[in-house]
Amino acid sequence: MVAVVREAALFSALDNDAAGNLLRSMTHLTPARGEVLFREGEIGDRLYVIFEGKIKLGRSSGDGRANLLSLLGPGDMFGELSLFDPGPRSATATAVTDSCLYGLGHSDLRPWLRQRPEVGLSLLRQLSRRQRRSTEVFSDLVFHDTPRRVAKVLLDLSARFGVPSEGGVYVRHDLTQGELAQLVGASRETINKVLADFAGRGWLRSTARAVVLLDVERLRRRAR
């Protein structure tokens, strides 16, 4: 168990004993599929590390439109901004599948930050990577066409959730077509057309809440 959560930035700078001690100070949660952990605008002071399952982070507009920001899996961490600046949550976190998480509150983390400065540095590196990723996503939306964005998202999901299968890589993302469209930044109709085009070229095969990548190299070329 420690080996999985140590993939998170919170644990990466610690040895096994220290990581185990920190884990024991955390709260164990098992949200069911569809359960909301926190909502955009709520006051929060706790981060979460995923041990099993998938969590999606999303935002919504005043007129009800939804935007999926990211899909997270085992070893990923979310809610860390609240540890440095407790305040309104910037997104809604929802369990996409039955999941197992560990939560750590602001007051519990403070002693670790004082005693182990490397924990704070690891968290800052994580925040920097998130900022860099956000900038990249924004640039993709402005400068690149939808097929390229679809290819990049599929490759990213494959790197994190893909497993080798006969003839390709099976990627169980557990998202609806609408949620996948939100992640790409396009309409569901456009996503369906792009996926159908990729399938017609023999690059992939779509299934319910999953995709099989049949020609990863062609997808990589399309994503450049």
Side-chain angles (χ1 to χ4, degrees):
M1 181 170 60
V2 174
V4 174
V5 294
R6 282 202 64 188
E7 296 178 13
L10 179 63
F11 295 88
S12 61
L14 301 175
D15 58 34
N16 285 335
D17 288 342
N21 290 334
L22 179 55
L23 184 61
R24 283 189 287 273
S25 70
M26 300 175 75
T27 303
H28 182 216
L29 303 94
T30 55
R33 176 181 175 180
E35 184 175 336
V36 175
L37 283 94
F38 54 76
R39 298 185 184 278
E40 179 182 353
E42 291 180 352
I43 301 300
D45 66 348
R46 181 173 297 271
L47 69 71
Y48 300 88
V49 177
I50 304 173
F51 175 55
E52 292 179 345
K54 296 184 182 76
I55 303 294
K56 64 179 181 180
L57 300 180
R59 292 177 61 93
S60 59
S61 63
D63 59 8
R65 288 178 297 170
N67 180 33
L68 183 59
L69 302 176
S70 58
L71 178 67
L72 307 176
D76 286 330
M77 181 174 63
F78 62 98
E80 64 272 19
L81 281 177
S82 65
L83 293 179
F84 296 99
D85 182 25
R89 296 288 191 182
S90 59
T92 297
T94 308
V96 177
T97 65
D98 292 346
S99 302
C100 173
L101 313 176
Y102 288 88
L104 182 69
H106 180 265
S107 59
D108 295 317
L109 180 64
R110 289 180 65 184
W112 284 91
L113 293 177
R114 287 195 298 266
Q115 299 167 16
R116 305 295 293 263
E118 62 269 29
V119 173
L121 291 174
S122 293
L123 286 171
L124 289 174
R125 280 194 293 269
Q126 172 74 2
L127 292 174
S128 297
R129 284 195 291 267
R130 290 275 177 89
Q131 180 60 46
R132 191 177 297 113
R133 174 59 179 159
S134 296
T135 301
E136 181 181 351
V137 169
F138 178 76
S139 297
D140 285 344
L141 288 171
V142 173
F143 298 114
H144 302 310
D145 60 16
T146 302
R148 178 175 179 178
R149 299 202 306 272
V150 171
K152 289 188 69 172
V153 166
L154 292 178
L155 290 170
D156 177 64
L157 293 174
S158 173
R160 293 186 293 126
F161 304 116
V163 295
S165 67
E166 186 176 352
V169 181
Y170 177 73
V171 185
R172 178 76 184 183
H173 51 68
D174 290 293
L175 299 175
T176 65
Q177 291 291 85
E179 290 171 332
L180 188 59
Q182 293 173 27
L183 195 59
V184 171
S187 68
R188 184 168 59 181
E189 292 76 14
T190 300
I191 289 293
N192 288 338
K193 290 179 181 178
V194 172
L195 291 176
D197 177 60
F198 286 0
R201 296 172 184 267
W203 297 356
L204 57 79
R205 182 174 68 252
S206 292
T207 63
R209 296 181 183 266
V211 64
V212 180
L213 304 188
L214 303 173
D215 195 332
V216 174
E217 183 55 37
R218 289 294 182 91
L219 285 169
R220 284 184 180 138
R221 292 177 189 173
R222 188 62 185 88
R224 295 186 182 125

Short mmCIF file of all heavy atoms in Angstrom, two decimals, residues 51-95:
data_model
loop_
_atom_site.label_atom_id
_atom_site.label_comp_id
_atom_site.label_asym_id
_atom_site.label_seq_id
_atom_site.Cartn_x
_atom_site.Cartn_y
_atom_site.Cartn_z
N PHE A 51 -5.46 5.76 -3.68
CA PHE A 51 -4.84 4.44 -3.60
C PHE A 51 -5.43 3.51 -4.66
O PHE A 51 -4.71 2.80 -5.35
CB PHE A 51 -5.05 3.86 -2.21
CG PHE A 51 -4.55 2.45 -2.05
CD1 PHE A 51 -3.23 2.14 -2.36
CD2 PHE A 51 -5.38 1.45 -1.60
CE1 PHE A 51 -2.76 0.83 -2.22
CE2 PHE A 51 -4.92 0.15 -1.46
CZ PHE A 51 -3.61 -0.16 -1.77
N GLU A 52 -6.75 3.53 -4.80
CA GLU A 52 -7.44 2.75 -5.83
C GLU A 52 -8.57 3.57 -6.42
O GLU A 52 -9.17 4.41 -5.73
CB GLU A 52 -8.04 1.46 -5.23
CG GLU A 52 -7.02 0.44 -4.78
CD GLU A 52 -7.67 -0.79 -4.18
OE1 GLU A 52 -8.88 -0.72 -3.87
OE2 GLU A 52 -6.98 -1.81 -4.04
N GLY A 53 -8.87 3.34 -7.71
CA GLY A 53 -10.01 3.99 -8.34
C GLY A 53 -9.62 5.21 -9.16
O GLY A 53 -8.44 5.50 -9.38
N LYS A 54 -10.64 5.95 -9.57
CA LYS A 54 -10.45 7.15 -10.38
C LYS A 54 -11.32 8.28 -9.84
O LYS A 54 -12.46 8.06 -9.42
CB LYS A 54 -10.81 6.89 -11.85
CG LYS A 54 -9.94 5.86 -12.55
CD LYS A 54 -10.31 5.76 -14.02
CE LYS A 54 -9.48 4.70 -14.74
NZ LYS A 54 -9.94 3.34 -14.40
N ILE A 55 -10.77 9.49 -9.86
CA ILE A 55 -11.47 10.70 -9.41
C ILE A 55 -11.41 11.72 -10.53
O ILE A 55 -10.36 11.91 -11.16
CB ILE A 55 -10.81 11.29 -8.15
CG1 ILE A 55 -10.76 10.26 -7.01
CG2 ILE A 55 -11.54 12.56 -7.71
CD1 ILE A 55 -12.10 9.86 -6.47
N LYS A 56 -12.53 12.39 -10.79
CA LYS A 56 -12.53 13.46 -11.79
C LYS A 56 -12.69 14.81 -11.09
O LYS A 56 -13.39 14.94 -10.08
CB LYS A 56 -13.64 13.26 -12.81
CG LYS A 56 -15.06 13.34 -12.25
CD LYS A 56 -16.10 13.14 -13.35
CE LYS A 56 -17.52 13.23 -12.80
NZ LYS A 56 -18.55 13.04 -13.85
N LEU A 57 -12.00 15.81 -11.63
CA LEU A 57 -12.10 17.19 -11.14
C LEU A 57 -12.76 18.02 -12.22
O LEU A 57 -12.33 17.98 -13.38
CB LEU A 57 -10.72 17.76 -10.82
CG LEU A 57 -9.89 17.02 -9.76
CD1 LEU A 57 -8.55 17.71 -9.56
CD2 LEU A 57 -10.64 16.92 -8.45
N GLY A 58 -13.80 18.75 -11.86
CA GLY A 58 -14.52 19.54 -12.85
C GLY A 58 -15.04 20.84 -12.30
O GLY A 58 -15.09 21.05 -11.07
N ARG A 59 -15.38 21.72 -13.21
CA ARG A 59 -15.98 23.01 -12.86
C ARG A 59 -17.27 23.17 -13.64
O ARG A 59 -17.48 22.50 -14.66
CB ARG A 59 -15.03 24.16 -13.20
CG ARG A 59 -13.78 24.22 -12.34
CD ARG A 59 -12.86 25.34 -12.79
NE ARG A 59 -13.49 26.65 -12.67
CZ ARG A 59 -13.39 27.45 -11.61
NH1 ARG A 59 -12.67 27.05 -10.57
NH2 ARG A 59 -13.97 28.62 -11.57
N SER A 60 -18.12 24.06 -13.17
CA SER A 60 -19.38 24.33 -13.87
C SER A 60 -19.61 25.83 -13.95
O SER A 60 -19.12 26.59 -13.10
CB SER A 60 -20.56 23.65 -13.16
OG SER A 60 -20.66 24.11 -11.82
N SER A 61 -20.31 26.24 -14.99
CA SER A 61 -20.61 27.66 -15.18
C SER A 61 -21.98 27.98 -14.60
O SER A 61 -22.74 27.09 -14.21
CB SER A 61 -20.59 28.00 -16.67
OG SER A 61 -21.60 27.28 -17.35
N GLY A 62 -22.29 29.26 -14.54
CA GLY A 62 -23.57 29.69 -13.98
C GLY A 62 -24.76 29.18 -14.76
O GLY A 62 -25.85 29.03 -14.19
N ASP A 63 -24.58 28.92 -16.06
CA ASP A 63 -25.70 28.44 -16.88
C ASP A 63 -25.77 26.92 -16.94
O ASP A 63 -26.53 26.35 -17.73
CB ASP A 63 -25.61 29.00 -18.30
CG ASP A 63 -24.31 28.63 -19.00
OD1 ASP A 63 -23.54 27.82 -18.45
OD2 ASP A 63 -24.06 29.16 -20.10
N GLY A 64 -24.97 26.24 -16.09
CA GLY A 64 -25.06 24.80 -16.00
C GLY A 64 -24.09 24.02 -16.86
O GLY A 64 -24.05 22.78 -16.78
N ARG A 65 -23.30 24.69 -17.67
CA ARG A 65 -22.32 23.97 -18.49
C ARG A 65 -21.20 23.42 -17.61
O ARG A 65 -20.79 24.04 -16.65
CB ARG A 65 -21.73 24.90 -19.55
CG ARG A 65 -22.70 25.24 -20.68
CD ARG A 65 -22.06 26.20 -21.66
NE ARG A 65 -21.73 27.47 -21.00
CZ ARG A 65 -20.98 28.43 -21.56
NH1 ARG A 65 -20.47 28.23 -22.76
NH2 ARG A 65 -20.74 29.54 -20.90
N ALA A 66 -20.73 22.22 -17.98
CA ALA A 66 -19.70 21.55 -17.18
C ALA A 66 -18.41 21.45 -17.97
O ALA A 66 -18.40 21.38 -19.19
CB ALA A 66 -20.18 20.16 -16.79
N ASN A 67 -17.31 21.45 -17.23
CA ASN A 67 -15.98 21.31 -17.84
C ASN A 67 -15.16 20.36 -16.99
O ASN A 67 -14.96 20.59 -15.80
CB ASN A 67 -15.30 22.68 -17.93
CG ASN A 67 -13.91 22.57 -18.55
OD1 ASN A 67 -13.68 21.73 -19.41
ND2 ASN A 67 -13.00 23.41 -18.12
N LEU A 68 -14.72 19.26 -17.59
CA LEU A 68 -13.89 18.29 -16.89
C LEU A 68 -12.43 18.72 -16.99
O LEU A 68 -11.88 18.82 -18.08
CB LEU A 68 -14.09 16.90 -17.50
CG LEU A 68 -13.33 15.74 -16.83
CD1 LEU A 68 -13.73 15.63 -15.37
CD2 LEU A 68 -13.64 14.44 -17.57
N LEU A 69 -11.81 18.98 -15.85
CA LEU A 69 -10.44 19.47 -15.83
C LEU A 69 -9.41 18.36 -15.91
O LEU A 69 -8.41 18.48 -16.60
CB LEU A 69 -10.20 20.29 -14.56
CG LEU A 69 -11.11 21.50 -14.34
CD1 LEU A 69 -10.82 22.14 -12.99
CD2 LEU A 69 -10.94 22.51 -15.46
N SER A 70 -9.65 17.27 -15.19
CA SER A 70 -8.67 16.18 -15.19
C SER A 70 -9.30 14.90 -14.65
O SER A 70 -10.30 14.93 -13.92
CB SER A 70 -7.44 16.55 -14.35
OG SER A 70 -7.81 16.85 -13.02
N LEU A 71 -8.67 13.80 -15.02
CA LEU A 71 -9.04 12.48 -14.51
C LEU A 71 -7.82 11.93 -13.79
O LEU A 71 -6.74 11.83 -14.37
CB LEU A 71 -9.45 11.55 -15.66
CG LEU A 71 -9.82 10.12 -15.27
CD1 LEU A 71 -11.10 10.11 -14.44
CD2 LEU A 71 -9.98 9.25 -16.51
N LEU A 72 -7.99 11.55 -12.52
CA LEU A 72 -6.87 11.13 -11.69
C LEU A 72 -7.03 9.66 -11.28
O LEU A 72 -8.14 9.14 -11.18
CB LEU A 72 -6.80 12.00 -10.43
CG LEU A 72 -6.77 13.51 -10.66
CD1 LEU A 72 -6.80 14.24 -9.32
CD2 LEU A 72 -5.57 13.92 -11.47
N GLY A 73 -5.88 9.01 -11.04
CA GLY A 73 -5.89 7.60 -10.66
C GLY A 73 -4.91 7.31 -9.54
O GLY A 73 -4.38 8.24 -8.90
N PRO A 74 -4.63 6.03 -9.28
CA PRO A 74 -3.76 5.63 -8.16
C PRO A 74 -2.41 6.36 -8.18
O PRO A 74 -1.75 6.46 -9.20
CB PRO A 74 -3.58 4.13 -8.40
CG PRO A 74 -4.85 3.71 -9.07
CD PRO A 74 -5.19 4.86 -9.99
N GLY A 75 -2.04 6.88 -7.00
CA GLY A 75 -0.80 7.63 -6.85
C GLY A 75 -0.97 9.12 -7.05
O GLY A 75 -0.10 9.90 -6.64
N ASP A 76 -2.09 9.53 -7.67
CA ASP A 76 -2.32 10.96 -7.89
C ASP A 76 -2.83 11.61 -6.61
O ASP A 76 -3.42 10.97 -5.75
CB ASP A 76 -3.34 11.18 -9.01
CG ASP A 76 -2.77 10.91 -10.39
OD1 ASP A 76 -1.55 11.11 -10.56
OD2 ASP A 76 -3.52 10.50 -11.29
N MET A 77 -2.61 12.91 -6.53
CA MET A 77 -2.98 13.70 -5.37
C MET A 77 -3.81 14.88 -5.84
O MET A 77 -3.61 15.41 -6.93
CB MET A 77 -1.70 14.18 -4.69
CG MET A 77 -1.89 15.00 -3.44
SD MET A 77 -0.27 15.34 -2.68
CE MET A 77 0.52 16.30 -3.97
N PHE A 78 -4.78 15.30 -5.04
CA PHE A 78 -5.58 16.47 -5.39
C PHE A 78 -6.02 17.19 -4.12
O PHE A 78 -6.00 16.62 -3.03
CB PHE A 78 -6.79 16.09 -6.25
CG PHE A 78 -7.77 15.15 -5.59
CD1 PHE A 78 -8.92 15.63 -4.99
CD2 PHE A 78 -7.54 13.78 -5.56
CE1 PHE A 78 -9.83 14.77 -4.39
CE2 PHE A 78 -8.44 12.91 -4.97
CZ PHE A 78 -9.59 13.41 -4.37
N GLY A 79 -6.40 18.46 -4.28
CA GLY A 79 -6.83 19.26 -3.14
C GLY A 79 -5.69 19.89 -2.37
O GLY A 79 -5.89 20.48 -1.31
N GLU A 80 -4.45 19.81 -2.93
CA GLU A 80 -3.29 20.28 -2.17
C GLU A 80 -3.23 21.79 -2.02
O GLU A 80 -2.58 22.30 -1.10
CB GLU A 80 -1.99 19.77 -2.81
CG GLU A 80 -1.71 20.29 -4.20
CD GLU A 80 -2.32 19.42 -5.27
OE1 GLU A 80 -3.25 18.66 -4.97
OE2 GLU A 80 -1.89 19.53 -6.43
N LEU A 81 -3.90 22.55 -2.89
CA LEU A 81 -3.90 24.00 -2.75
C LEU A 81 -4.46 24.43 -1.40
O LEU A 81 -4.01 25.42 -0.82
CB LEU A 81 -4.71 24.65 -3.88
CG LEU A 81 -4.06 24.77 -5.25
CD1 LEU A 81 -5.04 25.36 -6.25
CD2 LEU A 81 -2.80 25.60 -5.18
N SER A 82 -5.44 23.67 -0.89
CA SER A 82 -6.07 24.04 0.38
C SER A 82 -5.11 23.94 1.56
O SER A 82 -5.36 24.53 2.61
CB SER A 82 -7.28 23.13 0.63
OG SER A 82 -6.87 21.79 0.82
N LEU A 83 -4.02 23.19 1.41
CA LEU A 83 -3.07 23.07 2.51
C LEU A 83 -2.25 24.34 2.71
O LEU A 83 -1.85 24.68 3.81
CB LEU A 83 -2.13 21.89 2.26
CG LEU A 83 -2.77 20.51 2.30
CD1 LEU A 83 -1.74 19.44 2.01
CD2 LEU A 83 -3.43 20.25 3.65
N PHE A 84 -1.99 25.04 1.61
CA PHE A 84 -1.21 26.27 1.69
C PHE A 84 -2.09 27.50 1.83
O PHE A 84 -1.67 28.50 2.41
CB PHE A 84 -0.33 26.40 0.44
CG PHE A 84 0.70 25.32 0.31
CD1 PHE A 84 0.50 24.23 -0.50
CD2 PHE A 84 1.88 25.38 1.04
CE1 PHE A 84 1.44 23.21 -0.61
CE2 PHE A 84 2.83 24.38 0.95
CZ PHE A 84 2.61 23.29 0.13
N ASP A 85 -3.30 27.40 1.30
CA ASP A 85 -4.21 28.54 1.34
C ASP A 85 -5.63 28.03 1.53
O ASP A 85 -6.41 27.97 0.58
CB ASP A 85 -4.09 29.35 0.04
CG ASP A 85 -4.97 30.59 0.06
OD1 ASP A 85 -5.28 31.08 1.15
OD2 ASP A 85 -5.37 31.05 -1.04
N PRO A 86 -5.99 27.63 2.77
CA PRO A 86 -7.34 27.12 3.01
C PRO A 86 -8.38 28.13 2.55
O PRO A 86 -8.33 29.29 2.91
CB PRO A 86 -7.38 26.91 4.53
CG PRO A 86 -5.95 26.71 4.91
CD PRO A 86 -5.16 27.61 3.99
N GLY A 87 -9.31 27.68 1.73
CA GLY A 87 -10.32 28.57 1.18
C GLY A 87 -11.24 27.81 0.26
O GLY A 87 -11.28 26.57 0.29
N PRO A 88 -12.01 28.51 -0.56
CA PRO A 88 -12.97 27.85 -1.45
C PRO A 88 -12.28 26.90 -2.43
O PRO A 88 -11.24 27.23 -3.00
CB PRO A 88 -13.63 29.02 -2.19
CG PRO A 88 -13.41 30.21 -1.31
CD PRO A 88 -12.08 29.98 -0.67
N ARG A 89 -12.86 25.73 -2.60
CA ARG A 89 -12.35 24.77 -3.57
C ARG A 89 -12.51 25.33 -4.99
O ARG A 89 -13.52 25.94 -5.30
CB ARG A 89 -13.11 23.45 -3.47
CG ARG A 89 -12.94 22.72 -2.15
CD ARG A 89 -11.57 22.12 -2.01
NE ARG A 89 -11.50 21.19 -0.86
CZ ARG A 89 -10.40 20.56 -0.51
NH1 ARG A 89 -9.28 20.74 -1.17
NH2 ARG A 89 -10.40 19.74 0.54
N SER A 90 -11.50 25.08 -5.82
CA SER A 90 -11.53 25.59 -7.19
C SER A 90 -12.21 24.63 -8.16
O SER A 90 -12.40 24.95 -9.33
CB SER A 90 -10.11 25.88 -7.68
OG SER A 90 -9.32 24.71 -7.64
N ALA A 91 -12.58 23.42 -7.69
CA ALA A 91 -13.22 22.43 -8.56
C ALA A 91 -14.03 21.48 -7.71
O ALA A 91 -13.91 21.44 -6.47
CB ALA A 91 -12.16 21.66 -9.36
N THR A 92 -14.86 20.69 -8.37
CA THR A 92 -15.63 19.64 -7.72
C THR A 92 -14.94 18.30 -7.96
O THR A 92 -14.56 17.99 -9.09
CB THR A 92 -17.07 19.58 -8.28
OG1 THR A 92 -17.73 20.82 -7.97
CG2 THR A 92 -17.85 18.44 -7.66
N ALA A 93 -14.77 17.51 -6.91
CA ALA A 93 -14.12 16.20 -7.01
C ALA A 93 -15.17 15.11 -6.86
O ALA A 93 -15.89 15.07 -5.85
CB ALA A 93 -13.03 16.05 -5.95
N THR A 94 -15.25 14.22 -7.86
CA THR A 94 -16.26 13.17 -7.87
C THR A 94 -15.60 11.83 -8.17
O THR A 94 -14.74 11.74 -9.05
CB THR A 94 -17.33 13.46 -8.94
OG1 THR A 94 -17.84 14.78 -8.77
CG2 THR A 94 -18.47 12.45 -8.86
N ALA A 95 -16.02 10.79 -7.47
CA ALA A 95 -15.49 9.45 -7.73
C ALA A 95 -16.09 8.92 -9.04
O ALA A 95 -17.31 8.82 -9.18
CB ALA A 95 -15.83 8.52 -6.57
#
